[in-house]
Amino acid sequence: MAALLCLGAGLLGRGLLGCPRAASCSSICSGIRRLSLDKSPLSPPKRPLNAYLRYVVEQQQLLFKQKPDIRVVERTKWIAQAWRQLTADQKQPYEIAANDGKEKYKLELAAFNAQLTPAELAVLKEKKRHKLAKRKSMRQKRKLTMLGKPKRPRTAFNIFMAENFDDAKGPTSTAKLKNLQDEWHLLSDTQKQMYKQLAEDDKIRYRNEIKSWEEQMIETGHEDVIRAKKKKRLRRLPRKKAKSKRTVSQTASTGAKASKLSSTSKTGKEVKSTKKPEE
């Protein structure tokens, strides 16, 4: 709290004493708000940067001063290549700084967790779980996009919206969407029928494409990206194959036993017929 008051007093003092850029009330409030958010009881200490990221931050600043027009992608490639060319001795200062930051982070995290109540720890744990789940979902979406998963079928309204969005009334996208929803509800069943038929055709397209795509994913070893229903079918297939093999083997063994019995009975009859009655 004292730090916040000092910050506010300093900014006001600079403004009142004739600083070229007088501090406004909004800048003071934003600074106080930023500090208050940073010191929130449920804001854990940030993880430290590793050796490579420390080098990246340092080189980004130098490159921005030397070559401000260079693109971010080219700058990142240049820094990565320069890092690979550094010797172990040249990397050592960054690694030492990273290790020191890691030890400091452990102490700060332990002190942070010690001051939290069980309820706050539970809230923080839930936030972390939600963050990890969101990150995992984003990675999965990127993977599906790279593997070329077919797009899901569109609804009748989605087709109508895509067809009329550019000509819709409204200053913003939200306003246009609202007007299109109102227009859709005013359409008659006959007018909606065309879009419904297009939606049905799109469903057929999706079913065919997703079937061939999942077969391709199974062949290339990406069973983790296929649908849950398809996975259940795949699990049932080995059982069905094993069951059919058992049935075939049982049938074959039964047939072999039956043929053996019939051959034995025939042999016995032949032996009896060849015997001559004793005189």
Side-chain angles (χ1 to χ4, degrees):
M1 190 65 186
L4 297 177
L5 292 174
C6 290
L7 174 65
L11 290 172
L12 280 172
R14 286 200 297 272
L16 293 173
L17 291 174
C19 181
R21 289 188 178 181
S24 63
C25 181
S26 61
S27 64
I28 297 171
C29 292
S30 63
I32 293 173
R33 187 164 55 249
R34 190 161 54 249
L35 275 179
S36 64
L37 288 174
D38 292 341
K39 299 298 180 181
S40 173
L42 290 181
S43 296
K46 291 184 179 180
R47 287 182 175 274
L49 299 177
N50 58 27
Y52 172 68
L53 289 179
R54 290 174 184 271
Y55 177 77
V56 169
V57 171
E58 179 187 278
Q59 295 300 314
Q60 285 273 16
Q61 295 173 356
L62 293 174
L63 279 177
F64 186 76
K65 291 179 181 178
Q66 296 172 0
K67 301 178 180 179
D69 298 332
I70 190 173
R71 292 189 301 174
V72 177
V73 178
E74 295 176 358
R75 195 185 307 164
T76 306
K77 288 181 180 178
W78 188 92
I79 294 173
Q81 187 176 359
W83 172 259
R84 285 193 293 267
Q85 293 176 354
L86 292 180
T87 62
D89 293 336
Q90 290 172 325
K91 291 180 180 180
Q92 189 175 7
Y94 303 100
E95 291 172 353
I96 292 173
N99 291 331
D100 292 343
K102 191 183 294 183
E103 294 300 324
K104 183 181 178 182
Y105 169 75
K106 288 180 181 178
L107 295 174
E108 290 178 352
L109 185 63
F112 170 77
N113 290 332
Q115 68 180 359
L116 295 179
T117 62
E120 289 174 335
L121 281 171
V123 171
L124 195 65
K125 188 176 181 181
E126 180 62 22
K127 282 184 177 180
K128 186 177 180 181
R129 187 196 65 78
H130 180 71
K131 187 177 180 181
L132 291 174
K134 187 177 180 181
R135 193 179 299 169
K136 183 179 179 181
S137 176
M138 290 176 66
R139 283 199 298 265
Q140 184 73 358
K141 285 181 180 178
R142 283 197 297 267
K143 183 178 181 180
L144 292 174
T145 303
M146 290 174 62
L147 292 173
K149 183 180 179 180
K151 291 184 179 181
R152 295 186 66 84
R154 297 178 297 170
T155 62
F157 173 70
N158 285 338
I159 297 172
F160 169 79
M161 182 182 65
E163 186 178 302
N164 299 280
F165 189 81
D166 293 335
D167 300 329
K169 297 178 181 178
T172 62
S173 299
T174 306
K176 286 185 175 184
L177 180 60
K178 179 67 171 60
N179 291 328
L180 286 173
Q181 287 176 341
D182 295 338
E183 289 180 19
W184 174 257
H185 291 309
L186 293 174
L187 292 180
S188 64
D189 293 338
T190 306
Q191 291 172 318
K192 290 180 180 179
Q193 184 59 35
M194 178 184 69
Y195 299 103
K196 289 180 180 179
Q197 184 59 47
L198 290 173
E200 288 297 323
D201 296 341
D202 204 32
K203 283 182 183 178
I204 297 170
R205 184 272 312 165
Y206 175 74
R207 281 198 294 265
N208 295 332
E209 289 183 357
I210 197 68
K211 183 180 178 182
S212 60
W213 180 78
E214 285 180 337
E215 290 174 356
Q216 184 183 357
M217 291 300 102
I218 293 168
E219 291 175 0
T220 54
H222 293 290
E223 292 90 350
D224 58 314
V225 299
I226 64 176
R227 294 170 297 175
K229 292 181 180 179
K230 190 75 174 179
K231 286 181 182 178
K232 288 182 181 179
R233 291 174 193 166
L234 287 175
R235 293 193 193 103
R236 290 172 187 167
L237 282 176
R239 296 176 187 173
K240 287 182 178 179
K241 288 180 179 178
K243 188 175 180 181
S244 61
K245 284 182 180 179
R246 285 198 300 270
T247 305
V248 170
S249 61
Q250 288 174 0
T251 306
S253 61
T254 305
K257 287 179 181 178
S259 61
K260 187 176 181 181
L261 288 172
S262 62
S263 62
T264 305
S265 60
K266 285 181 182 179
T267 308
K269 287 180 181 179
E270 289 175 356
V271 169
K272 286 181 181 179
S273 62
T274 51
K275 283 184 180 181
K276 293 182 180 179
E278 295 181 357
E279 293 181 358

